[in-house]
Amino acid sequence: MKLFNRKNKTENDTSPQLALLVEGMHCTNCGLLIDDELEDIPGVRSSSTDMKAGRTTVRLEEGADVDTAVLVAAVVQAGNYTARPAD
């Protein structure tokens, strides 16, 4: 894991995205750790976690096939967090 290795993000990014609901965060650094872990996954373009909303938005590379279970496992690996796909 590369601590806080932020990938480039653009305001008008139209790449495919998935949302996860995350519990167990208590500070902004928690979100940064989660984003960093998710962005290490091949096919993930970027990740943005909102601690107050308890939500992570993961943007994927065009045509990438990333299993949601892999994303959830990465969140758990980042720390003492739980995650599930958002409806």
Side-chain angles (χ1 to χ4, degrees):
M1 176 173 76
K2 297 174 189 148
L3 200 54
F4 310 129
N5 181 22
R6 312 308 310 146
K7 291 187 179 180
N8 292 334
K9 297 179 185 179
T10 59
E11 291 287 321
N12 299 320
D13 192 350
T14 59
S15 57
Q17 65 182 15
L18 297 169
L20 299 174
L21 299 178
V22 180
E23 295 179 358
M25 295 182 288
H26 60 276
C27 66
T28 304
N29 285 339
C30 292
L32 293 172
L33 288 169
I34 290 168
D35 290 339
D36 194 53
E37 196 69 39
L38 288 167
E39 289 177 355
D40 283 345
I41 297 172
V44 172
R45 182 178 188 151
S46 66
S47 175
S48 178
T49 300
D50 181 340
M51 187 211 50
K52 290 182 181 178
R55 186 178 183 95
T56 298
T57 302
V58 180
R59 293 199 177 271
L60 304 175
E61 297 289 342
E62 208 56 51
D65 184 25
V66 179
D67 189 352
T68 306
V70 172
L71 300 175
V72 168
V75 171
V76 171
Q77 182 174 328
N80 192 27
Y81 314 111
T82 59
R84 62 183 167 85
D87 295 331

